[in-house]
């Protein structure tokens, strides 16, 4: 009996040791796997920067910007099993890992058959963007490109809020904002900023009575040009010499064709640079095409249009443009969180251009202010803050005497 009892005790000890050993092995394997994931991401980023395309759309930075809190919770869940109660939503499930690996290697989403041909059909995935810098806006979303062949927007059908907006009032805010008497521009009289609007007919439904499409020729007089003008006036008030183009391309370009919009505005850029050789900063003002709750935020009891910064991935020097955008974005984030929806990159296959004339200058940006359901008053409020941020960036650059690159003449 003593021998049998000793044998049972030894067997129990052996099983306990084996169980502890299994747990230790599992812990070691999971820890090693976690470390391997971060090492692979780091190595991938280094190799990509050194050997692969410079496009922001495929950069590791965009991956990091898109990682959610749930991702990190699931990373912890690999060590603390009870955190992974829902295996279907578990980031590192076999299903999700396979999908991630397949999409990472092929850029094809197994859940979206359209992605199989999207890369071969420009514009098919026009509303996809890569987030380079995410803003603190409470309603994150991708900017939506206007499609000139789409049906007229039906405000009541698409967004009930739009039908509740008040009737538009006279645009008193559009009057010029004069410089304080006796205060010359701090840019010593030089015109250093140029504002223009490639899609000059983009307009705002609350300002157009009886209209369902805010982008057609009948909105010539009330459109995004007013927002560009507001920006120029505010820059002048802050001491930044500014030039503003009021060209309405569909009305002035013979045989106007929408897909060539950026070729038309490139000519505007070239003419402006030739006439004003001191120009250093170029802002193409647009309007998003999303519904109101995706383009509006409320701060201090007032509604404000939100802004996107768009970077052209087709531009080989896109990083310099992103750096410039990020300086402005960071000022907005610090002073007015929720206004900027961040910096997004688009390739030619993910929009209607992918370059946006940003190879013209490293200080060239495309900024979207509001959407079709915002009022001009809401856009003006935002533009005042945007101008404040731009002025701060430009004047700080002047203080430290940052060398500015001469625009590319092409």
């Amino acid at each position: 009996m003593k021998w049998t009892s000793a044998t049972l005790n030894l067997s129990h000890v052996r099983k306990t040791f084996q169980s502890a050993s299994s747990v230790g092995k599992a812990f070691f394997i999971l820890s090693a796997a976690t470390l391997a994931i971060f090492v692979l991401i780091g190595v991938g980023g280094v190799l990509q920067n050194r050997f692969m395309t410079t496009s922001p759309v495929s950069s590791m930075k965009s991956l990091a910007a898109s990682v959610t809190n749930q991702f990190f919770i699931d990373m912890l869940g690999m060590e603390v099993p009870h955190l992974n109660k829902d295996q279907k939503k578990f980031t590192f499930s076999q299903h999700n890992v396979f999908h991630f690996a397949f999409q990472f290697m092929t850029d094809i989403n197994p859940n979206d058959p359209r992605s199989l041909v999207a890369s071969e059909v420009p514009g098919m995935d026009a509303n996809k963007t890569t987030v380079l810098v995410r803003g603190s806006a409470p309603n994150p979303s991708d900017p939506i490109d206007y499609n000139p062949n789409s049906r007229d927007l039906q405000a009541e059908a698409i967004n009930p809020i739009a039908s509740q907006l008040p009737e538009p009032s006279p645009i008193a805010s559009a009057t010029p904002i004069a410089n304080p008497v006796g205060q010359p521009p701090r840019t010593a009289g030089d015109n250093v900023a140029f504002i223009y609007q490639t899609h000059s007919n983009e307009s705002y439904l609350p300002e157009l009575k009886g209209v369902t499409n805010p982008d057609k020729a009948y909105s010539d007089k009330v459109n995004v040009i007013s927002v560009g003008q507001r920006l120029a006036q505010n820059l002048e008030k802050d001491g930044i010499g500014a030039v503003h183009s009021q060209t309405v391309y569909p009305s002035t370009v013979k045989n106007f064709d929408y897909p060539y919009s950026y070729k038309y505005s490139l000519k505007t850029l070239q003419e402006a640079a030739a006439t004003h050789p001191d120009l250093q900063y170029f802002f193409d003002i647009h309007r998003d095409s999303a519904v109101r709750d995706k383009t509006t935020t409320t701060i201090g009891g007032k509604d404000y249009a939100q802004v996107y910064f768009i970077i052209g991935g087709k531009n080989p020097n896109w990083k310099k443009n992103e750096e410039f955008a990020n300086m402005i974005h960071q000022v907005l984030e610090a002073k007015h969180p929720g206004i900027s929806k961040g910096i997004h990159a688009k390739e030619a296959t993910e929009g209607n251009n992918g370059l946006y004339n940003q190879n013209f200058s490293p200080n060239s940006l495309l900024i979207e202010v509001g959407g079709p359901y915002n009022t001009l008053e809401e856009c003006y409020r935002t533009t005042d803050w945007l101008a404040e941020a731009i002025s701060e960036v430009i004047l700080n650059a002047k203080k430290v005497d940052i060398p500015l690159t001469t625009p590319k003449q092409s």
Side-chain angles (χ1 to χ4, degrees):
M1 292 295 293
K2 291 181 180 180
W3 180 82
T4 302
S5 177
T7 301
L8 291 174
N9 288 336
L10 181 61
S11 176
H12 178 72
V13 170
R14 185 183 294 110
K15 288 181 179 179
T16 301
F17 177 77
Q18 288 176 343
S19 176
S21 178
S22 298
V23 172
K25 286 181 180 179
F27 180 80
F28 176 78
I29 291 172
L30 289 173
S31 298
T34 302
L35 177 62
I37 289 174
F38 283 106
V39 170
L40 286 173
I41 289 176
V43 171
V46 172
L47 292 176
Q48 188 177 68
N49 287 334
R50 187 167 296 182
F51 301 112
M52 297 179 68
T53 176
T54 58
S55 169
V57 172
S58 58
S59 76
M60 299 301 290
K61 180 178 181 180
S62 65
L63 173 64
S66 302
V67 168
T68 63
N69 291 336
Q70 186 63 42
F71 176 88
F72 292 102
I73 293 175
D74 288 344
M75 288 290 289
L76 291 174
M78 295 177 71
E79 307 294 343
V80 187
H82 77 271
L83 289 177
N84 303 323
K85 295 180 180 179
D86 189 347
Q87 286 296 314
K88 291 183 179 180
K89 295 182 179 180
F90 179 45
T91 301
F92 302 100
S93 67
Q94 183 177 356
H95 175 270
N96 288 338
V97 169
F98 169 77
H99 275 232
F100 170 80
F102 185 79
Q103 188 167 352
F104 183 79
M105 296 296 294
T106 66
D107 202 27
I108 296 172
N109 182 357
N111 293 326
D112 185 4
R114 295 177 304 169
S115 63
L116 181 64
V117 293
S119 61
E120 302 300 327
V121 183
M124 182 173 180
D125 203 8
N127 296 326
K128 174 186 175 184
T129 64
T130 297
V131 183
L132 298 178
V133 178
R134 190 174 295 282
S136 60
N139 50 349
S141 60
D142 287 342
I144 298 177
D145 281 353
Y146 163 67
N147 181 357
N149 297 318
S150 63
R151 294 178 299 173
D152 287 358
L153 295 173
Q154 299 293 335
E156 293 78 11
I158 296 178
N159 193 338
I161 297 177
S163 62
Q164 303 169 12
L165 292 174
E167 286 292 316
S169 55
I171 311 169
S173 305
T175 55
I177 303 174
N179 279 317
V181 177
Q183 180 180 338
R186 279 179 266 180
T187 51
D190 295 338
N191 290 313
V192 299
F194 182 66
I195 297 98
Y196 65 109
Q197 302 81 203
T198 293
H199 293 156
S200 50
N201 274 85
E202 291 178 333
S203 191
Y204 303 89
L205 279 170
E207 310 295 342
L208 307 171
K209 292 184 178 179
V211 171
T212 57
N213 188 325
D215 301 288
K216 287 189 175 179
Y218 43 60
S219 60
D220 277 0
K221 295 181 179 179
V222 181
N223 49 41
V224 73
I225 290 177
S226 297
V227 179
Q229 180 183 4
R230 180 79 173 193
L231 177 60
Q233 292 170 352
N234 273 282
L235 291 180
E236 287 281 348
K237 182 189 69 172
D238 293 338
I240 307 295
V243 178
H244 177 228
S245 169
Q246 300 195 31
T247 302
V248 181
Y249 295 103
S251 302
T252 58
V253 175
K254 186 177 181 181
N255 300 320
F256 173 83
D257 193 359
Y258 184 86
Y260 295 102
S261 294
Y262 288 94
K263 289 188 176 180
Y264 306 142
S265 62
L266 175 59
K267 185 177 180 182
T268 299
L269 284 173
Q270 293 169 336
E271 291 174 348
T275 305
H276 305 278
D278 297 317
L279 291 176
Q280 305 282 356
Y281 304 93
F282 303 85
F283 303 97
D284 189 3
I285 306 302
H286 288 247
R287 184 225 64 205
D288 192 27
S289 292
V291 294
R292 179 176 172 83
D293 59 359
K294 296 294 184 181
T295 65
T296 313
T297 188
T298 302
I299 300 176
K302 294 183 179 180
D303 289 338
Y304 289 80
Q306 293 171 306
V307 299
Y308 289 98
F309 297 90
I310 307 297
I311 301 298
K314 193 177 176 182
N315 175 20
N317 298 314
W318 65 270
K319 287 186 178 181
K320 292 186 178 296
N321 300 79
E322 187 216 347
E323 289 172 3
F324 181 45
N326 194 38
M327 286 189 285
I328 301 171
H329 165 77
Q330 292 301 333
V331 174
L332 285 173
E333 280 288 274
K335 294 185 176 181
H336 313 289
I339 284 292
S340 174
K341 301 193 79 171
I343 305 172
H344 295 244
K346 280 198 173 190
E347 291 280 13
T349 56
E350 298 166 335
N352 52 36
N353 186 266
L355 184 60
Y356 308 119
N357 293 330
Q358 289 176 0
N359 59 332
F360 187 77
S361 167
N363 302 317
S364 176
L365 292 180
L366 189 160
I367 305 175
E368 296 189 351
V369 181
Y373 303 102
N374 286 109
T375 65
L376 277 176
E377 183 179 0
E378 292 164 350
C379 293
Y380 289 157
R381 290 172 185 155
T382 298
T383 303
D384 292 349
W385 285 350
L386 176 63
E388 178 186 70
I390 292 173
S391 296
E392 181 173 323
V393 169
I394 291 178
L395 292 175
N396 283 340
K398 292 281 184 184
K399 286 179 183 178
V400 297
D401 195 25
I402 294 177
L404 300 174
T405 304
T406 302
K408 178 180 178 181
Q409 300 294 324
S410 56

